[in-house]
Amino acid sequence: MSKIESVRTTDVRFPTSLELDGSDAVNVDPDYSAAYVEITTDDGESGYGLVFTCGRGNEIVTAAMDSYGELLVGRDTDELVNNLGESSRRLVHDSQMRWLGPEKGVSHMAAGGLINAMWDIRAKREKKPLWLLLSEMSSEEIVSAVDFTHIRNALTPEDATDILEKGQVGKEVRIAELKADGYPAYTTTPGWLGYSDEKLVRLSKEAVADGFGMIKLKVAGSIEDDRRRLSLAREAVGPDVRIAIDANQRWEEQEAIDWVNQLQDFQPYWIEEPTSTDDILAHAAIRKAVHPIKVVTGEAVQNRIIFKQMLQAGAIDIMQIDSTRVAGVNENIANLLLAARFETPVCPHAGGVGLCELVQHFSFFDYAAITGTMEDRVIEYVDHLHEHFTEPAVVSNGRYRAPELPGIGAEMLPESTSRWSYPDGAVWQELNAR
Amino acid sequence: MSKIESVRTTDVRFPTSLELDGSDAVNVDPDYSAAYVEITTDDGESGYGLVFTCGRGNEIVTAAMDSYGELLVGRDTDELVNNLGESSRRLVHDSQMRWLGPEKGVSHMAAGGLINAMWDIRAKREKKPLWLLLSEMSSEEIVSAVDFTHIRNALTPEDATDILEKGQVGKEVRIAELKADGYPAYTTTPGWLGYSDEKLVRLSKEAVADGFGMIKLKVAGSIEDDRRRLSLAREAVGPDVRIAIDANQRWEEQEAIDWVNQLQDFQPYWIEEPTSTDDILAHAAIRKAVHPIKVVTGEAVQNRIIFKQMLQAGAIDIMQIDSTRVAGVNENIANLLLAARFETPVCPHAGGVGLCELVQHFSFFDYAAITGTMEDRVIEYVDHLHEHFTEPAVVSNGRYRAPELPGIGAEMLPESTSRWSYPDGAVWQELNAR
């Protein structure tokens, strides 16, 4: 019998604040970081998970992972990875630790990191990338992985089964298509607030030349800057490429409405995070007032219960799932099924560290075995930090290529986790010595 | 110039799971715990804060407090404690750590613990208990302490000023009244799920004899048990004492409606936490469907933005603020002002460790300088673990007595924090040796 031998965490940080990559109206100086976790078994297996953070506080998430790890060490590996619904609930609903959220913030993300590492072991055992593992699982096992607590008024296990059964039709053809042609991407690379106009224009043109049908610009610094930058970007990409804009929760409700409406001239496709992601009612009001610009959110949506309400209230046009904000693969399946139930497209959030590598699997799974469509669906792509992963996300001609290696995509190169470990890795030692 | 010298945390846990005190439908085996923090200055001052948790995971909150502490050590004490609005924002909106919430869960509670410790220094400098400090502060300073981010669509600084200016009228009389007569309490002591029928009846009768006008029972184990226990309690207390019931988020929306309506015979006064506290829309639906039973929530409401929406959506009849769930005194002032703006009574959540000691100050302040009324307002009281505090909450004849010692009420006895420190304190060493 295989047992969980250890849960080891590493605080990995990249000093991205030294550049202005990743800067927006709220996250002014992020050091893109990963609270990284490896679960090992006494049979010599390893599973990897991570939680993305912006630098300071990454050590709180690793501490939380260590704590949740104590609930796993010594347990039967087979029992855990063959019953991932139950394994997830064991962490998320631990009777004492539940108070720390419940189901939100540091504790929820940390639990999610460990849940993902268990999925990584499962996928490696089956020698499949996560998206294919999920796509080929029985509807019954997928449904058993979902926690329907507090979403049953919008999605029952029966609803989920219906959706998944419909998703079976034509699945094999779609899997072949994904392997051949991948899935559409959009890029945020041109649009960081810290970039000069010249860099914005140059990168926007490059994005179009690289085959992207959509780019994203950060906004909400000043309305004059936003109008100027959007005008430049629109001129650079032409009328047919979509331009999304992203305010990173900077505004109050009325402020969002007034500001966004002053940008209508440039036909932005969506406004992302116009206000607090906790604020379902404000999103609903903003969505009504800025039509036809779409309202989207999700990278900071704490759990399926908030997403459910966003959908019930007609507060969003598009759901942006995130691979490390919620309780792992299980809760992301719940989110995909909720979106399907409300016929709302999912356009995942990515970037940061490892988010592209992880989140792509959910869109591939969604196309293969849930909605069967790519219409108005794109995965975010940011071109940095991929080189630290054993299987870096690959985007070419504006499309994500299907991941092929077994696992969930979170495994990093040992050289990377060592050199960038904080504060003792070589890179940080050097920086501190300056 | 005084500087912050240290931020020291202690993981304090009481093995309450050995009894069945504190058991409910969700929290089945809590070890009531405090992530305890002492901020010292190089002038020899000390300020204390704490975050209540249910045991496992308390170490994650202390780790988070240590991290936030690094943002304070070495800073000018006067600047911090004389500008508590700015000091709060410095922690809550730290550009990198914000990602961990934002404004929710472990990181938010930990920041709140430190913010409270800064208020403790301020109150001790002014030699006033917190409630009196707040009641005697200028409206301007109170308003400057509030973070209006993402609540301006319901409460502007101007609204807050108006409310506080009205609260000035008759304030001195009300302060005198509070000092003489205190503030009404209710008790949860009889109602834990783990208690026998005999104990429930005995404690219910004792509560009435002790002068309480309301008791609270935990529900949601089984409908038969709930009907039997409510019937026994109603018989024990008579028709005029209010009985509140509390489901600790156990139900789905429709389940809550069906279940609660089967308890209407026994005239429960309110149903607390019928479902997830994240679920504003479900609370609104439940409230409509279980009238005249009131719907209340708050001990797990993560921040002012969720409370705001609960009020906007007509989802609650009563707001239950909690002293350690949100970002400290500042955010609780925001919550009190939101409640006042929506003419909704505040009945604070207490119990746990230190929650009675801390939260009472907000009701006293509310009566003295905000709403000026106690109508339908009561503070929860649970009679345990008070002996560990330098100024234990005192309830007599069903009323909280006004705290008198300078500070916010979080300071514990050094013997207690030492004996019950986890895992090295004497009590835990003994338990582990068994």
Side-chain angles (χ1 to χ4, degrees):
Chain A
M1 190 180 88
S2 162
K3 288 200 167 181
I4 302 295
E5 191 173 70
S6 73
V7 174
R8 281 198 297 254
T9 60
T10 314
D11 180 345
V12 183
R13 305 193 194 186
F14 300 95
T16 46
S17 63
L18 301 180
E19 310 290 321
L20 285 170
D21 299 341
S23 59
D24 61 48
V26 170
N27 306 296
V28 293
D29 62 348
D31 283 331
Y32 282 176
S33 302
Y36 185 63
V37 63
E38 176 182 10
I39 296 183
T40 64
T41 74
D42 57 10
D43 275 355
E45 298 169 287
S46 284
Y48 300 88
L50 65 81
V51 172
F52 167 68
T53 81
C54 288
R56 272 190 299 282
N58 200 47
E59 74 283 7
I60 305 173
V61 183
T62 55
M65 285 174 156
D66 290 335
S67 296
Y68 279 100
E70 290 173 23
L71 303 179
L72 296 181
V73 171
R75 294 203 174 263
D76 181 330
T77 313
D78 296 348
E79 208 184 295
L80 289 174
V81 304
N82 294 331
N83 301 283
L84 283 156
E86 184 50 34
S87 304
S88 162
R89 280 185 284 274
R90 185 191 296 277
L91 300 184
V92 172
H93 294 296
D94 176 80
S95 62
Q96 294 190 344
M97 294 174 83
R98 191 178 171 284
W99 183 266
L100 303 178
E103 299 191 62
K104 58 183 64 78
V106 165
S107 56
H108 202 52
M109 295 192 282
L114 268 65
I115 291 165
N116 281 344
M118 290 191 276
W119 279 92
D120 197 44
I121 293 177
R122 170 69 180 270
K124 283 170 174 162
R125 283 185 168 190
E126 300 205 15
K127 300 185 172 47
K128 292 176 189 171
L130 177 66
W131 72 271
L132 192 61
L133 172 73
L134 294 174
S135 301
E136 295 182 346
M137 255 183 189
S138 70
S139 301
E140 202 186 339
E141 187 169 4
I142 295 284
V143 170
S144 81
V146 172
D147 184 355
F148 290 91
T149 309
H150 297 150
I151 58 170
R152 282 194 168 80
N153 58 349
L155 180 80
T156 63
E158 296 70 36
D159 298 332
T161 302
D162 285 352
I163 292 167
L164 291 162
E165 288 300 323
K166 280 186 197 127
Q168 295 298 309
V169 183
K171 189 174 78 174
E172 293 312 319
V173 175
R174 290 194 298 275
I175 289 175
E177 202 186 317
L178 286 164
K179 286 180 176 173
D181 302 327
Y183 195 104
Y186 76 92
T187 177
T188 312
T189 301
W192 302 108
L193 273 192
Y195 287 178
S196 68
D197 288 353
E198 179 277 322
K199 192 168 182 180
L200 164 69
V201 168
R202 177 167 50 82
L203 294 176
S204 297
K205 286 180 178 169
E206 282 177 24
V208 178
D210 287 345
F212 291 101
M214 178 165 128
I215 64 169
K216 189 162 78 186
L217 265 56
K218 299 290 180 173
V219 294
S222 88
I223 184 70
E224 294 73 29
D225 286 349
D226 288 351
R227 287 184 55 91
R228 190 188 70 255
R229 295 171 73 252
L230 259 175
S231 165
L232 289 168
R234 177 55 74 204
E235 205 185 308
V237 303
D240 299 330
V241 168
R242 287 176 173 168
I243 303 179
I245 56 174
D246 182 357
N248 289 85
Q249 309 185 41
R250 190 71 171 73
W251 297 316
E252 302 295 309
E253 176 184 320
Q254 190 58 47
E255 194 181 9
I257 292 168
D258 296 343
W259 196 301
V260 172
N261 280 332
Q262 290 183 66
L263 303 176
Q264 293 273 11
D265 303 349
F266 313 104
Q267 288 96 47
Y269 179 62
W270 79 42
I271 173 65
E272 177 173 334
E273 289 201 324
T275 190
S276 166
T277 29
D278 300 344
D279 202 335
I280 295 136
L281 304 180
H283 276 79
I286 293 165
R287 180 167 176 245
K288 267 193 195 154
V290 303
H291 184 83
I293 300 174
K294 295 179 192 299
V295 169
V296 311
T297 197
E299 71 189 60
V301 168
Q302 65 203 33
N303 59 33
R304 69 199 176 284
I305 304 162
I306 299 291
F307 269 136
K308 176 194 73 172
Q309 293 175 83
M310 290 278 184
L311 295 167
Q312 289 173 318
I316 51 173
D317 292 281
I318 291 166
M319 176 192 284
Q320 298 184 292
I321 60 168
D322 180 278
S323 50
T324 79
R325 177 66 72 181
V326 300
V329 173
N330 306 60
E331 194 164 22
N332 264 317
I333 297 173
N335 290 336
L336 290 175
L337 291 168
L338 279 167
R341 175 99 171 118
F342 285 84
E343 296 175 357
T344 297
V346 171
C347 294
H349 168 250
V353 181
L355 300 183
C356 299
E357 280 70 19
L358 272 75
V359 90
Q360 57 182 339
H361 291 273
F362 297 106
S363 288
F364 279 76
F365 166 49
D366 182 76
Y367 181 68
I370 302 182
T371 64
T373 176
M374 294 180 188
E375 200 182 332
D376 289 333
R377 284 153 170 90
V378 276
I379 310 170
E380 184 165 18
Y381 180 69
V382 189
D383 187 13
H384 58 206
L385 303 174
H386 302 295
E387 64 277 18
H388 301 292
F389 288 82
T390 56
E391 188 183 25
V394 175
V395 168
S396 62
N397 200 22
R399 296 176 82 89
Y400 271 84
R401 300 295 137 185
E404 293 176 357
L405 291 188
I408 68 161
E411 188 174 346
M412 298 180 79
L413 301 175
E415 310 87 273
S416 293
T417 56
S418 157
R419 273 182 61 76
W420 278 271
S421 81
Y422 183 88
D424 296 326
V427 169
W428 289 102
Q429 292 289 337
E430 259 171 60
L431 281 170
N432 288 333
R434 272 189 203 172
Chain B
M1 190 179 89
S2 161
K3 288 199 168 182
I4 302 296
E5 190 173 68
S6 73
V7 174
R8 280 198 300 252
T9 59
T10 314
D11 181 344
V12 183
R13 305 192 195 187
F14 299 95
T16 46
S17 63
L18 301 180
E19 310 289 321
L20 285 171
D21 298 342
S23 58
D24 61 49
V26 170
N27 307 296
V28 292
D29 62 348
D31 284 330
Y32 282 175
S33 302
Y36 185 65
V37 62
E38 176 182 10
I39 296 182
T40 65
T41 75
D42 58 9
D43 275 357
E45 298 169 286
S46 285
Y48 300 88
L50 65 82
V51 172
F52 167 67
T53 81
C54 288
R56 272 190 299 282
N58 201 46
E59 75 282 8
I60 305 173
V61 183
T62 55
M65 285 173 155
D66 290 335
S67 296
Y68 279 99
E70 290 174 25
L71 304 178
L72 296 181
V73 171
R75 293 202 175 267
D76 182 330
T77 313
D78 296 348
E79 208 184 295
L80 290 174
V81 305
N82 294 331
N83 300 283
L84 283 156
E86 184 51 35
S87 304
S88 161
R89 279 185 284 274
R90 186 192 295 277
L91 300 184
V92 172
H93 295 294
D94 177 79
S95 63
Q96 295 191 344
M97 294 174 84
R98 191 179 170 283
W99 183 267
L100 304 178
E103 297 190 64
K104 58 183 66 75
V106 166
S107 56
H108 203 52
M109 294 192 282
L114 268 65
I115 291 165
N116 281 344
M118 291 191 275
W119 278 93
D120 196 45
I121 293 177
R122 171 68 180 271
K124 282 170 174 163
R125 283 185 170 191
E126 299 205 17
K127 301 185 172 47
K128 291 176 190 171
L130 177 66
W131 72 271
L132 192 61
L133 173 73
L134 294 174
S135 301
E136 294 182 347
M137 256 183 188
S138 70
S139 301
E140 201 185 340
E141 187 169 5
I142 295 284
V143 169
S144 81
V146 172
D147 183 355
F148 290 91
T149 308
H150 298 149
I151 58 170
R152 282 195 168 81
N153 58 348
L155 180 80
T156 64
E158 296 69 35
D159 297 331
T161 303
D162 285 352
I163 291 167
L164 290 162
E165 287 301 321
K166 280 186 196 126
Q168 295 298 308
V169 184
K171 188 174 76 174
E172 293 312 320
V173 175
R174 289 193 298 276
I175 289 174
E177 202 185 317
L178 286 165
K179 287 180 176 173
D181 302 327
Y183 195 102
Y186 76 93
T187 177
T188 311
T189 300
W192 303 107
L193 273 193
Y195 287 178
S196 69
D197 288 353
E198 179 278 320
K199 192 167 182 180
L200 164 69
V201 169
R202 178 167 50 81
L203 293 176
S204 297
K205 286 180 178 168
E206 281 178 25
V208 178
D210 287 347
F212 291 102
M214 177 164 129
I215 64 169
K216 188 163 79 187
L217 264 57
K218 300 290 180 173
V219 295
S222 88
I223 183 70
E224 294 73 28
D225 285 351
D226 287 353
R227 287 186 54 93
R228 190 187 72 254
R229 295 171 72 252
L230 259 173
S231 166
L232 288 168
R234 177 54 73 206
E235 205 185 307
V237 302
D240 299 331
V241 169
R242 287 174 173 170
I243 303 179
I245 56 174
D246 182 359
N248 289 85
Q249 309 186 41
R250 190 71 172 72
W251 298 315
E252 302 295 308
E253 176 185 320
Q254 191 58 47
E255 194 181 10
I257 292 168
D258 296 342
W259 195 302
V260 172
N261 280 332
Q262 291 183 66
L263 303 176
Q264 293 274 11
D265 303 348
F266 313 104
Q267 288 96 48
Y269 179 62
W270 80 41
I271 173 64
E272 178 172 334
E273 290 201 323
T275 190
S276 167
T277 27
D278 299 345
D279 203 334
I280 295 136
L281 303 179
H283 275 80
I286 294 165
R287 181 169 175 243
K288 268 194 193 154
V290 303
H291 185 82
I293 300 174
K294 296 181 191 297
V295 170
V296 312
T297 196
E299 72 189 58
V301 167
Q302 65 203 33
N303 60 34
R304 68 199 176 283
I305 303 162
I306 300 291
F307 268 136
K308 176 194 72 172
Q309 293 176 84
M310 290 276 184
L311 295 167
Q312 289 174 317
I316 52 172
D317 292 282
I318 291 166
M319 177 193 283
Q320 297 183 292
I321 61 168
D322 179 278
S323 50
T324 79
R325 176 66 72 180
V326 300
V329 173
N330 306 60
E331 195 164 23
N332 264 317
I333 297 173
N335 290 336
L336 290 175
L337 291 168
L338 279 167
R341 175 96 171 118
F342 285 84
E343 295 175 0
T344 296
V346 171
C347 295
H349 168 250
V353 181
L355 300 182
C356 299
E357 280 69 20
L358 272 75
V359 90
Q360 57 183 340
H361 292 273
F362 297 106
S363 288
F364 279 76
F365 166 50
D366 182 75
Y367 181 68
I370 302 181
T371 65
T373 176
M374 294 179 188
E375 201 183 331
D376 290 332
R377 285 155 171 89
V378 275
I379 310 170
E380 184 165 18
Y381 181 68
V382 189
D383 187 15
H384 58 206
L385 303 174
H386 302 295
E387 65 277 18
H388 301 292
F389 288 82
T390 55
E391 188 183 25
V394 176
V395 167
S396 61
N397 200 23
R399 297 176 81 89
Y400 272 83
R401 301 294 137 186
E404 293 176 357
L405 292 188
I408 67 160
E411 189 174 346
M412 298 181 80
L413 301 175
E415 309 87 274
S416 293
T417 56
S418 157
R419 274 182 61 76
W420 277 271
S421 81
Y422 183 89
D424 296 326
V427 169
W428 289 102
Q429 292 290 337
E430 257 171 60
L431 281 170
N432 288 334
R434 274 190 202 171

